[in-house]
Amino acid sequence: MSLEQTVTSLKEKSWARWTALVLLASAMFFGYIFMDVLSPLQANLKESLGWDPVAYGRFAGSETFLNVFVFFLIFAGIILDKMGVRFTAILSGSVMLAGAFINYYALTQAFAGSSLENFINNFLNLPDEWWNVTPFYKGMPASAKLSAIGFMFFGCGVEMAGITVSRGIVKWFAGKEMALAMGIEMAIARVGVAVVFLGSPFIAALHNQINVARPVGLAVLLLLIGLICFIVYSLMDKKLESQLGNTEEKDDPFKISDLKYIFTSQVFWIVALLCVLYYSAIFPFQKYANNMLQCNLHITAEQAGQIFFVFPLGAAAITPFLGNYLDRKGKGATMLIFGALLMIICHLTFAFVLPATQSAIVAYAAIVLLGISFSLVPASLWPSVPKLVDGKLLGSAYAVIFWIQNIGLYAFPMIIGSVLSASNPGVENPLEYNYTMPMLLFASLGILALIFGIWLKALDAKRGYGLEQPNIK
């Protein structure tokens, strides 16, 4: 059998492609579970650990702090381009696990009253001034500080894993069902969010005693399984490369100077800014959605989780179909525009209609719209990047996009926490917050994303990037 036949036979076997996808997607599934494991427990964190909206917002934003201000994601992209998918996958899984364990320890009784808690209480007491871009401030609970430190390291790992998984999927599915594969990976990850919103309040309330550390500990164990998935994938990927007769490291090596081709591309920046606007209106919203529903509908955390459950689950169900359509029919730029429109409608509904009606039906309808939006945009956004960037720069391109995205994911949870606190002066009960202003802020991001989506479609029509063309040739 010739070398070409060997390469073709491996790449054409569907079991190889889809097994690799399952391993990559499973690791991200567990990562997404940990990312939002505390989101449905905002009120419990206030009651049991004294986390007010500002402390919670600082914790939520801390995930991306090192990625943004230490440029870790840029370094992660360079590591990915120079060291390859296998090395970077295992590294990212290890960093996720280490950071998650720190986060978990901060919430346990072992930390409460310990000498470490006393030290943390006197550590990182920075003034709450405009120049303080860190998550830390004077008066922040010690458990929130240490949780934020752990979440920072977890954030480095999970974002590194995100670009690695995207690069891995391109490697296995280029010229085939790439958008479908990316859609399925996103869908599996979103099922993790659905599991969290249903399971986290239930696990925390076991034995009729609220313990916010309990679901976090379980999520840490799942991250260990995710690391094992990355290791198994690496063995499989190594076998593929041995049949290709080369290695990632020797194939057209990356140079720092090559980044200029990314930073000088107008269409790349439009995609990157569209990404940060869109995701800043989705992921920070997830951090507050459960409490928002509790406040507007006067329901428990478990009941709010059951309502919000339809968002990630619906998105997971729709995304693969949209990815398959994109592979075969195209229309990627058009999908971005419709996704932004639906997002605007959803957040305006939460701002005005839901508080006025206090109707669960309205909440369900808005969340379904957001789920469709969450399917349209990522399913079309990520498969578009390989059409805009040279293959050897793909890891760095994804890293730059994720870095810009992380700026929004860092800032907006903190901004929302501060806006929520400022618009609810004197409100101590975490179930009585008014969420009108935060929802209007999210809607404004959707409006800007819509503008960039229209601009991107116009540029594609003018320059022929192929964003409206199908992926399968």
Side-chain angles (χ1 to χ4, degrees):
M1 183 178 290
S2 69
L3 177 61
E4 181 61 30
Q5 287 174 318
T6 302
V7 173
T8 302
S9 64
L10 181 63
K11 299 277 286 185
E12 292 299 328
K13 287 183 178 179
S14 60
W15 70 264
R17 295 195 303 274
W18 295 105
T19 300
L21 178 67
V22 168
L23 292 169
L24 292 171
S26 296
M28 291 307 298
F29 169 78
F30 299 131
Y32 269 58
I33 284 179
F34 191 89
M35 190 184 298
D36 276 307
V37 69
L38 287 176
S39 296
L41 304 177
Q42 183 184 349
N44 301 124
L45 289 166
K46 173 71 165 63
E47 294 165 355
S48 61
L49 297 176
W51 293 19
D52 62 14
V54 175
Y56 176 76
R58 293 296 184 96
F59 160 76
S62 67
E63 177 205 343
T64 57
F65 176 78
L66 294 177
N67 290 325
V68 172
F69 292 100
V70 188
F71 303 100
F72 182 82
L73 255 177
I74 303 298
F75 294 123
I78 294 172
I79 292 170
L80 176 58
D81 281 330
K82 291 191 72 69
M83 303 301 294
V85 173
R86 296 188 299 277
F87 175 87
T88 315
I90 295 175
L91 177 62
S92 65
S94 301
V95 174
M96 276 196 289
L97 185 61
F101 182 80
I102 296 172
N103 193 342
Y104 163 71
Y105 175 71
L107 303 174
T108 63
Q109 289 299 314
F111 174 72
S114 67
S115 57
L116 180 59
E117 183 188 36
N118 293 331
F119 173 76
I120 296 293
N121 269 324
N122 298 307
F123 183 58
L124 296 173
N125 289 320
L126 302 177
D128 192 13
E129 301 289 346
W130 64 268
W131 51 263
N132 178 16
V133 297
T134 75
F136 310 108
Y137 62 92
K138 186 175 182 179
M140 186 177 184
S143 59
K145 288 181 186 176
L146 188 58
S147 291
I149 292 171
F151 211 30
M152 285 180 187
F153 286 102
F154 167 81
C156 290
V158 76
E159 297 298 336
M160 182 192 291
I163 63 173
T164 303
V165 167
S166 297
R167 177 67 175 268
I169 292 174
V170 171
K171 179 177 181 178
W172 285 83
F173 287 87
K176 300 185 183 298
E177 316 94 332
M178 186 166 64
L180 175 61
M182 287 190 172
I184 290 175
E185 184 272 320
M186 293 174 205
I188 293 173
R190 286 167 193 162
V191 171
V193 179
V195 168
V196 160
F197 275 85
L198 276 185
S200 191
F202 172 78
I203 296 171
L206 286 175
H207 311 301
N208 297 317
Q209 183 178 7
I210 298 295
N211 184 344
V212 293
R214 194 180 294 129
V216 179
L218 178 59
V220 172
L221 293 177
L222 293 177
L223 284 175
L224 176 60
I225 299 174
L227 175 58
I228 295 171
C229 289
F230 273 148
I231 293 172
V232 175
Y233 166 82
S234 298
L235 296 174
M236 185 176 174
D237 191 79
K238 186 175 182 179
K239 182 178 179 180
L240 168 65
E241 292 233 334
S242 68
Q243 294 185 343
L244 290 175
N246 59 14
T247 64
E248 291 176 299
E249 292 76 22
K250 293 180 181 178
D251 185 17
D252 203 1
F254 169 82
K255 300 186 293 292
I256 295 289
S257 59
D258 289 338
L259 285 175
K260 67 183 179 183
Y261 299 112
I262 295 175
F263 288 115
T264 56
S265 170
Q266 181 189 37
V267 70
F268 172 83
W269 279 106
I270 294 174
V271 170
L273 292 175
L274 196 156
C275 176
V276 69
L277 289 167
Y278 181 80
Y279 278 95
S280 294
I282 293 291
F283 287 123
F285 170 72
Q286 287 181 183
K287 304 292 186 185
Y288 292 92
N290 196 281
N291 186 246
M292 182 272 293
L293 292 173
Q294 286 180 266
C295 293
N296 280 322
L297 300 179
H298 308 294
I299 56 179
T300 66
E302 291 84 356
Q303 292 170 325
Q306 291 170 6
I307 293 176
F308 194 73
F309 174 77
V310 303
F311 164 61
L313 197 65
I318 297 170
T319 300
F321 294 101
L322 293 174
N324 186 55
Y325 180 87
L326 194 67
D327 281 329
R328 301 181 184 280
K329 302 294 183 181
K331 305 299 181 185
T334 302
M335 283 188 182
L336 294 173
I337 294 172
F338 279 112
L341 280 170
L342 291 177
M343 184 172 65
I344 295 167
I345 294 171
C346 170
H347 287 311
L348 290 178
T349 299
F350 284 134
F352 298 116
V353 182
L354 185 62
T357 61
Q358 296 184 357
S359 168
I361 295 176
V362 171
Y364 273 114
I367 288 171
V368 167
L369 287 180
L370 190 63
I372 297 172
S373 172
F374 199 28
S375 300
L376 283 167
V377 174
S380 53
L381 183 66
W382 299 117
S384 298
V385 179
K387 298 180 180 180
L388 306 173
V389 178
D390 185 271
K392 74 171 183 175
L393 300 175
L394 196 55
S396 296
Y398 277 125
V400 173
I401 292 177
F402 274 57
W403 175 69
I404 296 169
Q405 171 187 314
N406 270 235
I407 295 175
L409 298 185
Y410 169 75
F412 271 91
M414 299 184 185
I415 292 172
I416 296 300
S418 297
V419 169
L420 185 61
S421 181
S423 59
N424 289 273
V427 178
E428 293 295 329
N429 187 343
L431 300 179
E432 294 181 355
Y433 295 139
N434 184 314
Y435 270 87
T436 301
M437 291 306 296
M439 292 302 106
L440 286 176
L441 190 56
F442 284 134
S444 67
L445 295 176
I447 293 171
L448 291 174
L450 175 63
I451 294 171
F452 277 98
I454 295 171
W455 187 5
L456 180 64
K457 184 173 180 178
L459 273 182
D460 180 62
K462 181 179 179 181
R463 300 180 183 176
Y465 293 110
L467 300 182
E468 295 282 272
Q469 301 300 314
N471 292 319
I472 295 178
K473 304 299 183 183

